[in-house]
């Protein structure tokens, strides 16, 4: 008879554990759903822009052509091409992600923020892949402009430089957030805005992309970053593991 209370306690404990596991699974399931919905919200304007490009929507095409010619003409007249070429080189996705991966590795090994570091690396790699896969869908040719402007290879929509620098900059802000002071956080946010703007302007003024390509890259980069954060980490992310605990 003495075994009955022990048996009841065992099954009660197992039931509580199953309830806890179910609650965690349900919470993470809802986060994933919110992440998917967020990605769909960001993807919609990119899809609409892509359709407009594919269908050669005249107002968009004319505006893109005019802006591209005006920007590259300005660059040639003012001798900006050497500086623009340097920006183009250092903002290549391979270099951006080498630096970002090194930061993630440092956060993982030195600061023990394992969940954030893993999230950052996976999100950036997935985003890089999405950017590469999205270009053949629209198959937009690069701008053709007058003057000694270097011609970029591959398709134009969306801008890979704009997408990847936006994604990497935003992910690094989220990754480093718990380690920064209030002033450093403000500086990081400013940098995460200014650097992608500079890279986007470089793509326009060097004649590598149309304005709509750059805009689509920005939107897609932001969408991947935010939807990944919402879906896999959440606003109550732990500073040391993927699961939620205290607000970051």
């Amino acid at each position: 008879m003495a075994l009955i209370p022990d048996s009841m306690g065992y099954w009660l404990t197992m039931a509580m554990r199953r309830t806890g596991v179910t609650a965690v699974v349900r919470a993470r399931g809802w986060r994933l759903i919110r992440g998917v919905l967020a990605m769909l919200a960001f993807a919609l304007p990119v899809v609409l822009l892509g359709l407009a490009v594919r269908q050669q929507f005249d107002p968009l095409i004319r505006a893109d052509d005019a802006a591209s010619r005006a920007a590259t003409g300005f660059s040639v007249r003012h001798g900006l091409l050497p500086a623009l070429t340097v920006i183009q080189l250092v903002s290549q996705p391979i270099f951006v992600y080498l630096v970002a991966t090194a930061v993630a590795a440092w956060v993982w090994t030195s600061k023990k923020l394992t969940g954030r570091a893993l999230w950052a690396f996976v999100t950036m790699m997935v985003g890089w892949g999405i950017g590469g896969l999205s270009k053949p869908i629209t198959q937009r040719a690069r701008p053709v402009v007058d003057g000694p402007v270097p011609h970029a290879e591959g398709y134009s929509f969306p801008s890979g430089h704009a997408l990847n620098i936006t994604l990497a900059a935003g992910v690094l802000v989220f990754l480093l957030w718990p380690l920064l002071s209030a002033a450093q956080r403000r500086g990081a946010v400013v940098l995460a805005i200014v650097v992608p703007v500079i890279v986007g302007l470089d793509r326009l003024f060097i004649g590598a992309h149309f304005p709509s390509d750059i805009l689509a890259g920005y939107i897609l980069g932001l969408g991947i970053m935010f939807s990944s954060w919402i879906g896999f980490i959440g606003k109550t992310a732990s500073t040391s593991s993927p699961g939620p605990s205290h607000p970051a």
Side-chain angles (χ1 to χ4, degrees):
M1 297 297 294
L3 295 177
I4 295 178
D6 292 340
S7 178
M8 292 178 61
Y10 169 79
W11 290 111
L12 180 60
T13 301
M14 293 300 296
M16 292 174 65
R17 288 180 180 176
R18 284 196 294 269
T19 301
V21 170
T22 301
V24 170
V25 171
R26 185 180 294 114
R28 293 189 176 182
W30 278 115
R31 285 209 304 270
L32 286 173
I33 291 172
R34 289 196 296 267
V36 171
L37 293 176
M39 190 65 246
L40 290 175
F42 277 97
L44 179 60
V46 176
V47 171
L48 293 177
L49 276 173
L51 286 174
V53 169
R54 287 278 293 182
Q55 298 300 318
Q56 293 291 293
F57 182 60
D58 189 61
L60 176 65
I61 301 302
R62 290 169 63 90
D64 270 350
D65 284 338
S68 179
R69 292 180 182 278
T72 52
F74 181 89
S75 301
V76 171
R77 289 194 304 272
H78 291 84
L80 299 180
L81 292 181
L84 294 173
T85 302
V86 172
I87 296 174
Q88 174 178 257
L89 177 63
V90 299
S91 61
Q92 289 283 345
I94 183 65
F95 298 134
V96 170
Y97 286 128
L98 281 175
V99 173
T101 299
V103 174
W106 171 75
V107 170
W108 184 317
T109 58
S110 297
K111 300 303 178 180
K112 307 305 179 184
L113 303 186
T114 306
R116 282 177 180 261
L118 182 60
W119 165 81
F121 178 75
V122 172
T123 298
M124 291 187 295
M125 294 302 101
V126 170
W128 192 4
I130 290 174
L133 292 173
S134 63
K135 285 179 175 289
I137 295 175
T138 305
Q139 297 185 0
R140 186 182 203 181
R142 299 275 185 171
V144 178
V145 296
D146 300 324
V149 178
H151 182 73
E153 300 296 330
Y155 295 121
S156 186
F157 184 95
S159 167
H161 277 69
L163 186 160
N164 289 298
I165 195 66
T166 301
L167 175 61
V171 164
L172 289 179
V173 170
F174 277 113
L175 173 63
L176 297 173
W177 195 260
L179 307 176
L180 304 177
S181 65
Q184 290 171 333
R185 288 176 176 181
R186 288 192 292 269
V189 171
V190 170
L191 281 175
I193 295 172
V194 171
V195 172
V197 168
I198 292 174
V199 172
L201 290 175
D202 172 80
R203 307 312 289 154
L204 175 62
F205 279 83
I206 205 172
H209 285 288
F210 297 104
S212 59
D213 303 333
I214 299 164
L215 178 60
Y218 285 153
I219 296 172
L220 198 53
L222 286 171
I224 294 169
M225 175 190 65
F226 279 115
S227 61
S228 177
W229 177 259
I230 293 169
F232 293 96
I233 301 294
K235 64 181 181 180
T236 57
S238 169
T239 58
S240 60
S241 67
S245 59
H246 303 293

